[in-house]
Amino acid sequence: MIQPPKSASPARTKDNERPLVEDIRLLGRILGDVIREQEGVAAFELIEQIRKLSVAFRRDADHEADKALKKLLKGLSGDQTVSVIRAFTYFSHLANLAEDRHHIRRRAIHERAGDTQEGSIEVALARLRWAGISPRTIANTLATSFVSPVLTAHPTEVQRKSILDAERDIAQLLVARDDIKVKAASVNANKDALTPRELAANEEQMRARVLQLWQTRLLRFTKLTVADEVENALSYYESTFLREIPKLYADLERELGQHPVHSFLRMGQWIGGDRDGNPNVNAQTLIHALRRQADVALRHYLTEVHYLGGELSLSTMLVDCLPDMQALAERSPDTNEHRKDEPYRRALIGVYARLAAALKDLTGGDAARHAVAPQNAYKTAEEFLADLRTIEASLLAHHGAALVAQRLHPLIRAVEVFGFHLATVDLRQSSDKHEEVVAELLAVARIEAAYSSLDEMAKRALLLKMLNDARPLRVLGNVYSELARSELAIFEAALSARARFGKEAIRHYIISHTETVSDLLEVLLLQKEVGLMHGTLDGASTNDLIVVPLFETIEDLRNAAPIMRAFYALPGVAKLVQRSGAEQDIMLGYSDTNKDGGIFTSNWELYRAETALVELFDSVN
């Protein structure tokens, strides 16, 4: 009989918090030592006094301590205030690192005990199984799903990358410290002499990183550039997403009994493509973002292919390979006699050379290693993926499943998810900017001198007429405004980027402040102007970018379904969307609606808009 998933027992839920307390005390002690050494004993004692008074007031509701604390804080000099703020800021950061580590530690303890945690894949899938939903059904559902976490730019982020990197190092040292303790517990007492030295060395490394934090400027002198924002985002891919997302898929497939799981989870990004309110984002920043993303993805693949070449030293004197695999090896430019019986290594050297050439073509960068010169660049990620699958098929056909699982399969999954583009960059601009550009194009072409003054129905009629006209609007030799040139350059860059980095590099065009159907038609017309829309609306046309309305106010939410219904009722629109992939994204803004109507009204109107849109598209289908 199927049982509901087992959760951790109350006793285990109240685990011993001693490891967390020990980590916080260790990090607090190290920080205190650094402050005493760098700022002097008086500064350290002042910070300690403030800490003790704060604890007394918070824990014991000691009002005398509250009075003493307020008096002490009011009497601080400017330098003392900065020192106190820095001390408590860094202590809170270090405590957060310890808490994150403890969360991971407890999860591991629960897993070893056979317990599962709320929010885990195991609990979610166990509940589905308990409800009678089979693994095959779940896998089939995921095959038609699409989930895309999107990283957005945050120019107000106060933490510098230098500080984030140092804190990541401290987090890794906490992990290493746990490993040292586990090793110590697993050996006999007479073999434990090395552990104190290892712990001391670990603590010294932590001390160096905490000292680095204390001597590193906490705030920036200047505002982040778009390039800075791109680099900050990419650091998360290097440290997390590229390796962890393939592990997530592996966990899903294991829980589903090895039913293949479609790559439904992809990454998205606004940084480099979000122009709404940011004049520093333009066609150049878009191309820069995509080049940097490609560089991160390709260098990750190059590293993995290099290590695969070291691992797959299989000899045809000992194991066969499939004909396709042998052909892949024969196409490799590697002619080293020492590897003539090692088809996998030869093939991977060829794969590496092609990847290195792709890196040069797409980013201008050079690969770190060269067994043979870069050559015959992969044009698409699909070509690279096909070669990896040839290697996979041959290994699986000749008892090499264990070799596939460790590195090759995660690499294949990474290529499926990240391609050569790493993350899909969404384009976004405000609807009023599109209107200005369309108005200028129509005026210069002597089609309509006052487009912006037309009523909504007249705008729709004119835009439909233009979408059914094969001719472009731009007049050769005319000098357009800076806004028109900049906006059209974005669309042209998108056309070029999709050809260069793959169609997944840019898929969405988001229209902020969507209030009318003409807001959607204007973006279709701008796509048509640069070749992102193919054909005319009344013909067998397709468009490359999904037109995504963003409804941001309470009134906009209430109009969302009527606007989309009117849009799809226009002649040719529904067929255009169907021919272009049958996808329609819609964004509902929770932030502005919250400001506009308050949290309760916002949530209610979001719910009503969602249900109305679901009903609408059910009827369209």
Side-chain angles (χ1 to χ4, degrees), residues 399-414:
H399 312 292
L403 295 170
V404 170
Q406 293 305 305
R407 192 181 301 276
L408 180 56
H409 195 262
L411 175 57
I412 288 172
R413 182 67 79 172

Side-chain angles (χ1 to χ4, degrees), residues 264-279:
F264 67 94
L265 175 64
R266 309 292 179 96
M267 292 302 300
Q269 194 141 297
W270 277 16
I271 306 168
D274 180 10
R275 314 192 299 294
D276 185 13
N278 189 347

